[in-house]
């Protein structure tokens, strides 16, 4: 079959090869150094985290900046506390945005690392399921020639993982296929099996026989939960975000993401799950290191008070309790105290009215000659009057 020999192609065959080819080169280099597919993924993950470390440093610096603005943020929120109408809330948000702009702080500045992880997963998935093209560096035309030859020879190829099936079939006798695919002669042919795990296969739930690949999604779930809990301890959280973390919706989200990852792993090659595990562990260690190298500032109560004075926050008087005595506290000096004088006059009038009612009840009259003597009251005032008389 000399006529099927096709010269190798070194140029890109797709616009996405801009990402796929460098990523495949990293895995090929890592496998050449370790001769183990699991360790190759570990080394690949480590290199990728080092490449993305500037995003992690930027995220940590963004948190430090946010923490440094905590007293000002608290002062602005306290300034509008207790007013939940839309106009007031909008005014508060505008003041916060103006303060962020003045301090050159971007609240979304630390999201780069999170946003870039999803494209990496997609690229890695395409590299893993197309190892002949991106790890072995075999051109697409030669891959099609190999596929046609094996199919005509009666070899059944898994339609989901054709390139992986081709590698598994030709690995032990690569030289026999170099006439069809000359690029195989110097290619690095990976072995996807590590112990009981064939990392090129998709995990399936099976207990008879036991499918060892099931353990990878389970381990991923556990590692992601632990990673989230540890990362929260080394990540600055504003009082508002801390309250949000304790809310029911955030707790649901905390469990939703790992469960979604488990579902995705049951749809992709196991190597993706292994990458997810390594990435969670390494990124958690990276977060701890960055938090130690670039620590978040801490503030005292006096710092928050100073920020309130700067923001012209007026101290609000505490609301009175329902059972609290509502009578005003009487001053020690009553000169020009109109309220005190008015209360004393009212008490005097009330006392005179009570005395008049008491005299009327005793049969006293105002007619001359018929007036009865009023009973002497046993108090200091009556005693003094009687003595005077």
């Amino acid at each position: 079959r000399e006529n099927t020999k096709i010269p190798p192609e070194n140029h890109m065959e797709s616009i996405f090869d801009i990402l796929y080819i460098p990523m495949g080169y990293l895995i090929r280099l890592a496998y050449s150094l370790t001769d183990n597919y699991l360790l190759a993924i570990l080394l690949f993950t480590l290199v990728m985290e080092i490449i993305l470390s500037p995003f992690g440093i930027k995220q940590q610096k963004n948190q430090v900046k946010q923490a440094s603005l905590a007293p000002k943020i608290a002062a602005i929120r306290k300034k509008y506390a207790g007013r939940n109408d839309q106009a007031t809330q909008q005014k508060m948000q505008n003041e916060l945005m103006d303060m962020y702009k003045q301090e050159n702080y971007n609240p979304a500045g630390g999201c780069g690392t999170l946003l870039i992880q999803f494209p990496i997963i997609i690229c890695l998935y395409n590299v893993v399921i197309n190892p002949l093209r991106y790890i072995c560096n075999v051109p697409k035309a030669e891959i099609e020639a190999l596929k046609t030859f094996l199919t005509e020879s009666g070899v059944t190829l898994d339609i989901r993982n054709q390139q992986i099936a081709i590698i598994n079939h030709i690995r032990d006798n690569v030289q026999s296929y170099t006439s069809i695919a000359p690029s195989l002669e110097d290619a690095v042919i990976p072995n996807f099996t590590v112990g009981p795990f064939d990392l090129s296969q998709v995990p399936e739930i099976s207990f008879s026989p036991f499918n060892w690949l099931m353990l990878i999604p389970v381990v991923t779930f556990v590692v992601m939960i632990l990673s989230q809990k540890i990362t929260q301890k080394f990540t600055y959280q504003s009082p508002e975000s801390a309250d949000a973390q304790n809310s029911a919706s955030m707790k649901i989200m905390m469990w939703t993401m790992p469960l979604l990852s488990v579902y995705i792993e049951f749809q992709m090659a196991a190597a993706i799950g292994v990458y997810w595990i390594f990435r969670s562990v390494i990124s958690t260690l990276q977060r701890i290191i960055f938090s130690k190298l670039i620590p978040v500032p801490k503030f005292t109560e006096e710092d928050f008070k100073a920020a309130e004075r700067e923001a012209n926050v007026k101290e609000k008087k505490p609301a009175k309790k329902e059972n609290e005595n509502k009578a005003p506290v009487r001053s020690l000096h009553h000169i020009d105290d109109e309220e005190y004088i008015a209360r004393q006059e009212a008490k005097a009038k009330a006392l005179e009215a009570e005395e008049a009612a008491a005299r009327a009840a005793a049969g006293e009259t105002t007619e001359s000659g018929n007036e009865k003597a009023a009973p002497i009251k046993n108090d200091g005032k009556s005693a003094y009057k009687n003595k005077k008389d």
Side-chain angles (χ1 to χ4, degrees), residues 76 80 83-98:
I76 293 174
Y80 296 96
R83 292 181 286 176
N84 299 322
D85 58 285
Q86 185 176 359
T88 302
Q89 291 296 310
Q90 185 63 44
K91 186 178 180 181
M92 182 185 71
Q93 291 299 325
N94 292 339
E95 191 167 337
L96 285 172
M97 290 299 108
D98 291 340

Side-chain angles (χ1 to χ4, degrees), residues 197-325:
F197 301 97
D198 184 354
L199 301 180
S200 65
Q201 301 301 312
V202 178
E204 295 179 356
I205 299 177
S206 176
F207 296 95
S208 182
F210 188 83
N211 187 345
W212 288 96
L213 294 179
M214 289 191 305
L215 298 178
I216 293 179
V218 174
V219 173
T220 302
F221 177 81
V222 174
V223 169
M224 290 188 71
I225 291 292
L226 293 176
S227 176
Q228 290 185 52
K229 290 184 175 295
I230 295 173
T231 301
Q232 286 179 4
K233 294 183 179 181
F234 292 92
T235 303
Y236 170 75
Q237 295 180 358
S238 63
E240 295 77 20
S241 62
D243 293 339
Q245 289 289 345
N246 296 325
S247 65
S249 60
M250 289 304 298
K251 290 182 178 179
I252 292 174
M253 183 63 67
M254 178 179 177
W255 292 92
T256 299
M257 292 305 296
L259 288 172
L260 180 61
S261 301
V262 169
Y263 171 77
I264 293 174
E265 288 183 29
F266 276 108
Q267 313 299 320
M268 295 184 174
I272 303 298
V274 172
Y275 165 77
W276 234 321
I277 294 171
F278 289 152
R279 191 249 162 201
S280 296
V281 174
I282 295 175
S283 63
T284 302
L285 293 175
Q286 187 185 71
R287 170 60 54 196
I288 295 173
I289 294 172
F290 287 162
S291 67
K292 299 296 183 182
L293 295 178
I294 313 175
V296 172
K298 297 181 179 180
F299 298 96
T300 63
E301 187 67 25
E302 182 57 34
D303 295 324
F304 285 91
K305 293 293 184 182
E308 291 177 9
R309 290 192 295 269
E310 184 180 349
N312 296 322
V313 178
K314 296 181 180 179
E315 191 69 25
K316 295 182 179 180
K317 295 181 180 180
K320 293 183 179 180
K321 299 180 181 179
E322 293 182 359
N323 58 350
E324 187 177 352
N325 184 12

Side-chain angles (χ1 to χ4, degrees), residues 17-33 40 43-44 47-48 51 124 127 130-131 133-137 188:
D17 285 352
I18 297 174
L19 300 175
Y20 298 161
I21 291 177
M23 197 170 289
Y25 174 79
L26 283 177
I27 296 179
R28 179 167 66 251
L29 177 62
Y31 187 83
S32 300
L33 296 174
L43 188 57
F44 166 81
V47 172
M48 290 301 299
I51 293 174
L124 181 61
V127 170
N130 297 294
R133 176 70 190 95
Y134 299 112
I135 298 179
C136 303
N137 200 27
V188 175

